[in-house]
Amino acid sequence: MTLRLTNAIIGGSRRVLTRTGGILFLVLLVHEALLITSLNTVVTAANPAAMGDVIGLTLPVSGTVAGVLLVGTLVLNAVYFVVLSRAFARPKSQLSSFPADLVTRRIG
């Protein structure tokens, strides 16, 4: 059995360039921005004197609120990747919609 890397790359890029792929990519960008900014806020709140100019973009909330956002974002990360996997496992002709079973279907 051989791995057809060219077919995998071309097929994957075609799936990403669909409507579903574009929406999931935008959701990923928002998710990652929230993850990074909440993590930066938590780190800055833990030691503000040492991290004043070193850390990047932060949120205008307290460290506790940023910690709750960080934990929530990490939980949503797992949900996102389940939806992503289920969405891209469908036939390419069905990649223009988001049926409810991408989120609600149980495995097994």
Side-chain angles (χ1 to χ4, degrees):
M1 177 184 269
T2 61
L3 175 63
R4 297 189 178 163
L5 195 54
T6 306
N7 291 345
I9 291 172
I10 291 172
S13 62
R14 285 185 181 153
R15 288 178 181 277
V16 170
L17 295 175
T18 61
R19 179 175 176 246
T20 300
I23 292 170
L24 287 172
F25 182 70
L26 289 176
V27 169
L28 177 68
L29 290 178
V30 170
H31 172 266
E32 289 300 316
L34 183 60
L35 179 73
I36 290 169
T37 55
S38 61
L39 181 62
N40 287 348
T41 305
V42 168
V43 169
T44 303
N47 193 355
M51 296 295 168
D53 294 334
V54 178
I55 206 77
L57 188 63
T58 59
L59 296 171
V61 296
S62 69
T64 307
V65 173
V68 170
L69 278 173
L70 180 63
V71 170
T73 304
L74 291 174
V75 170
L76 286 177
N77 189 30
V79 174
Y80 172 77
F81 282 107
V82 168
V83 171
L84 178 81
S85 301
R86 289 179 178 179
F88 285 153
R90 296 182 300 158
K92 191 171 180 252
S93 62
Q94 296 177 359
L95 288 180
S96 62
S97 65
F98 281 98
D101 68 339
L102 291 179
V103 180
T104 59
R105 185 181 76 220
R106 293 193 180 261
I107 297 174

